């Protein structure tokens, strides 16, 4: 196990270092970040971002295209309202859906209004879904705070080189602040902003995946530098994808006869970079409207866009999905009689450090013989809004919403909780737990479950004797 210096001041994870419980929980249900999760959980890409601020020589964005499976193509474009209606439809039909992301067909941050409107609607109406975003990184430094505010904590950044001269061969131009740049100057601007964006994200605890397109003769010998530098910036995993450059796709590289890498070159590059940073090797270079498990795109089954009607209540579906996701994550052990779900109020997810009334999300864990397993996160408006003149009706409505959101858990762990919420939780059969404030989440939950399980078993034995 080794370590390295980092511009973020963090110790960097090496390719053979096991994940911490905290990181493992965050990636377990994300099929693109987890090698084991990609055949158990589904993802959905929303094609709401048609424009792009960077012209890559390997990309040709196509709309209304159903016969190609590669990044940048989609069968349709959706408005934010259509997108959230479709997410509800897909989440009901595919209960394994855990992640909703925006990956094109252009760049989400070049369509910042449409993208954030979509993310905000999903966060408001479907509070248990994980939000993800994929970007070229040009506008990333300006968007970090908004991404954090809406609850995006997985971001993919496509970085093909850190050399401005190589960048000039990969990108035709970029558009920034009303100006068009090309050549080496464009490369310098892009690389600087990509690195700054990644730095800001990782400092805030966001998991960052780096995508790189392997282009023979152009960047094949420089991708190890991308791995090394981005690992020092705190990136989580590196996904090296083979160039797709067929003439029929109409890209610059395809029309100019740029060769694609063969399997030997791809494997060798991944092995070299894997000595520096963990590699993602199960990527399927998905479409901008991909739906379902990786490698089993079901987007063509959901071509019909549902009507933008008033949303139906989501909480019953949310609670069913939580039980299913717990069963998937624990291989059925969460179905045991003494297994249960609990909620944790935590700012980052590693320690119990958040006041109940200040929580903007609750992390839901399954406790069973399989151990302590993070199932999902549920976002909620804060009960305490920081105003001494808060209207009683408003606070009562927020509390009722929180109680409904947590109706399926046995306990809530937080650093502090007021007397009123404490009483309401107990009245609903939920145990408030504050004795382990500022303690690590996983061992705390494991101790609580073992003690609670023994108490439940003793209670059942006493009932049997009676």
């Amino acid at each position: 196990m080794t370590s390295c210096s980092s511009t973020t001041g963090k110790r960097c994870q090496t390719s053979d270092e096991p994940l911490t419980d905290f990181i493992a929980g965050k990636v377990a249900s994300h099929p693109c970040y987890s090698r084991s999760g990609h055949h158990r959980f589904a993802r959905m890409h929303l094609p709401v971002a048609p424009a792009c601020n960077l012209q890559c020589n390997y990309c040709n964005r196509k709309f209304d295209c159903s016969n190609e499976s590669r990044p940048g193509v989609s069968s349709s474009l959706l408005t934010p309202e259509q997108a959230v209606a479709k997410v509800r439809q897909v989440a009901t039909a595919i209960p394994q859906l855990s992640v909703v992301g925006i990956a094109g067909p252009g760049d989400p941050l070049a369509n910042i209004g449409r993208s954030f409107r979509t993310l905000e609607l999903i966060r408001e109406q479907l509070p248990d879904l994980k939000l993800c975003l994929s970007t070229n990184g040009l506008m990333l430094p300006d968007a970090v705070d908004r991404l954090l505010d809406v609850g995006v904590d997985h971001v993919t950044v496509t970085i093909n080189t850190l050399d401005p001269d190589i960048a000039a061969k990969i990108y035709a131009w970029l558009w920034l602040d009303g100006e068009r740049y090309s050549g080496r100057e464009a490369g310098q601007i892009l690389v600087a902003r990509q690195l700054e964006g990644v730095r800001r994200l990782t400092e805030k605890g966001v998991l960052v995946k780096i995508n790189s397109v392997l282009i023979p003769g152009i960047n094949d010998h420089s991708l190890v530098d991308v791995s090394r530098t981005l690992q020092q910036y705190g990136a989580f995993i590196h996904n090296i994808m083979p160039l797709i450059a067929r003439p029929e796709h109409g890209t610059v590289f395809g029309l100019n006869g740029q060769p694609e890498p063969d399997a030997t070159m791809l494997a060798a590059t991944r092995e070299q970079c894997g000595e520096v940073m963990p590699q993602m090797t199960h990527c399927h270079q998905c479409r901008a409207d991909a739906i379902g498990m990786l490698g089993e795109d079901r987007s063509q089954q959901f071509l019909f866009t549902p009507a933008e009607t008033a949303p139906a209540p989501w909480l019953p579906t949310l609670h069913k999905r939580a039980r299913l996701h717990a069963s998937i994550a624990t291989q059925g052990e969460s179905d045991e009689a003494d297994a249960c779900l609990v909620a944790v109020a935590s700012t980052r997810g590693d320690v119990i450090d958040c006041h109940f009334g200040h929580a903007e999300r609750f992390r839901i864990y399954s406790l069973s013989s399989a151990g302590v397993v993070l199932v999902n996160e549920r976002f909620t408006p804060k009960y305490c809004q920081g105003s001494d003149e808060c209207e009683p009706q408003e606070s009562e409505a927020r509390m009722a919403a929180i109680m409904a959101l947590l109706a399926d858990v046995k306990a809530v762990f937080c650093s502090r909780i007021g007397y009123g919420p404490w009483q309401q939780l107990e009245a609903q059969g939920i145990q408030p737990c504050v004795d382990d404030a500022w303690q690590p989440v996983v061992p705390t939950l494991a101790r609580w479950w073992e003690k609670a399980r023994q108490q439940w078993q003793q209670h059942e034995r006493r009932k049997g004797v009676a």
Side-chain angles (χ1 to χ4, degrees):
M1 187 180 299
T2 61
S3 62
C4 68
S5 61
S6 169
T7 58
T8 64
K10 301 176 182 177
R11 192 172 67 79
C12 302
Q13 182 177 316
T14 57
S15 59
D16 59 351
E17 183 177 342
L19 298 180
T20 64
D21 290 335
F22 172 52
I23 297 297
K26 290 189 71 170
V27 304
S29 61
H30 196 307
C32 301
Y33 284 67
S34 169
R35 188 185 303 272
S36 61
H38 80 276
H39 59 272
R40 297 186 294 167
F41 292 97
R43 85 315 190 202
M44 179 179 185
H45 290 172
L46 299 176
V48 298
C52 199
N53 48 17
L54 179 67
Q55 182 55 60
C56 308
N57 289 330
Y58 54 76
C59 180
N60 180 21
R61 301 189 307 281
K62 290 187 177 181
F63 315 142
D64 195 22
C65 179
S66 60
N67 60 353
E68 294 180 20
S69 183
R70 59 185 177 88
V73 300
S74 173
S75 292
S76 63
L77 290 173
L78 302 176
T79 67
E81 291 73 21
Q82 290 172 331
V84 73
K86 193 163 187 175
V87 173
R88 298 173 71 90
Q89 177 194 43
V90 171
T92 302
I94 306 177
Q96 297 90 344
L97 181 70
S98 61
V99 179
V100 176
I102 303 177
D107 189 88
L109 300 183
N111 303 260
I112 199 160
R114 293 170 62 95
S115 295
F116 276 99
R117 173 62 177 163
T118 303
L119 295 171
E120 289 162 359
L121 285 173
I122 296 171
R123 177 56 64 233
E124 175 186 331
Q125 296 185 26
L126 300 97
D128 61 321
L129 286 172
K130 190 183 298 291
L131 295 181
C132 192
L133 182 133
S134 181
T135 176
N136 59 41
L138 180 60
M139 298 304 299
L140 190 53
D142 303 326
V144 169
D145 289 341
R146 290 191 68 180
L147 290 171
L148 292 169
D149 287 344
V150 81
V152 173
D153 54 12
H154 292 71
V155 174
T156 295
V157 187
T158 298
I159 302 179
N160 297 312
T161 183
L162 300 178
D163 186 329
D165 292 315
I166 295 177
K169 301 177 182 179
I170 300 175
Y171 310 107
W173 50 260
L174 65 79
W175 192 269
L176 178 66
D177 295 333
E179 297 289 337
R180 178 170 166 150
Y181 301 87
S182 60
R184 193 177 195 280
E185 183 181 22
Q188 289 178 312
I189 293 171
L190 178 63
V191 170
R193 292 182 67 82
Q194 288 173 327
L195 292 177
E196 176 64 10
V198 171
R199 182 189 67 80
R200 293 188 186 183
L201 286 173
T202 58
E203 283 183 344
K204 298 294 186 178
V206 176
L207 290 186
V208 175
K209 175 166 67 75
I210 303 300
N211 279 359
S212 296
V213 178
L214 175 58
I215 310 168
I218 295 181
N219 71 346
D220 48 319
H221 296 297
S222 63
L223 286 183
V224 69
D225 293 329
V226 175
S227 273
R228 184 177 297 111
T229 300
L230 270 299
Q231 191 246 17
Q232 292 173 353
Y233 272 72
F236 171 71
I237 195 169
H238 196 182
N239 174 29
I240 297 174
M241 307 177 295
L243 171 71
I244 300 174
R246 296 162 199 163
E248 62 267 25
H249 294 159
T251 67
V252 171
F253 282 155
L255 295 175
N256 290 347
Q258 168 65 40
E260 300 176 350
D262 59 22
T264 301
M265 174 182 282
L266 179 62
T269 305
R270 285 175 170 172
E271 181 178 3
Q272 185 182 24
C273 293
E275 296 177 0
V276 180
M277 185 190 292
Q279 298 290 300
M280 175 185 176
T281 58
H282 58 277
C283 175
H284 289 265
Q285 294 179 272
C286 303
R287 295 162 53 97
D289 59 357
I291 295 173
M293 307 287 188
L294 294 191
E296 299 177 357
D297 186 13
R298 296 174 57 181
S299 59
Q300 300 307 302
Q301 299 177 25
F302 297 94
L303 294 178
F304 173 73
T305 302
E308 302 169 29
T309 57
W314 180 248
L315 288 181
T317 302
L318 180 152
H319 294 147
K320 290 179 182 178
R321 283 165 42 81
R323 291 192 296 272
L324 173 65
H325 287 195
S327 182
I328 293 172
T330 64
Q331 298 182 335
E333 293 190 51
S334 65
D335 298 331
E336 298 172 351
D338 55 0
C340 67
L341 299 177
V342 299
V344 175
S346 171
T347 53
R348 283 175 49 89
D350 47 355
V351 297
I352 304 168
D353 62 353
C354 189
H355 190 296
F356 178 86
H358 299 162
E360 295 180 319
R361 72 174 83 181
F362 289 96
R363 290 172 169 87
I364 307 301
Y365 287 84
S366 167
L367 309 184
S368 70
S369 56
V372 178
V373 177
L374 180 65
V375 175
N376 61 27
E377 297 178 341
R378 299 176 187 175
F379 286 76
T380 178
K382 290 194 295 185
Y383 173 62
C384 297
Q385 298 290 321
S387 173
D388 294 333
E389 300 178 358
C390 182
E391 290 291 335
Q393 290 183 340
E394 293 179 0
S395 61
E396 289 174 6
R398 287 194 296 271
M399 191 62 197
I402 295 172
M403 290 294 104
L405 189 72
L406 301 178
D408 58 339
V409 306
K410 288 288 188 181
V412 173
F413 293 79
C414 51
S415 62
R416 292 181 61 192
I417 185 171
Y419 183 64
W422 184 296
Q423 285 186 309
Q424 292 195 47
L425 286 171
E426 287 190 330
Q428 194 163 299
I430 301 172
Q431 179 182 345
C433 300
V434 296
D435 291 342
D436 292 291
W438 298 98
Q439 297 302 306
V441 171
V442 172
T444 295
L445 299 189
R447 289 194 303 270
W448 179 89
W449 181 73
E450 185 59 34
K451 182 178 180 180
R453 187 167 65 99
Q454 292 175 2
Q455 291 175 344
W456 297 336
Q457 291 173 348
Q458 292 173 1
H459 178 69
E460 290 300 316
R461 285 195 293 268
R462 286 196 294 267
K463 284 174 57 180
V465 172

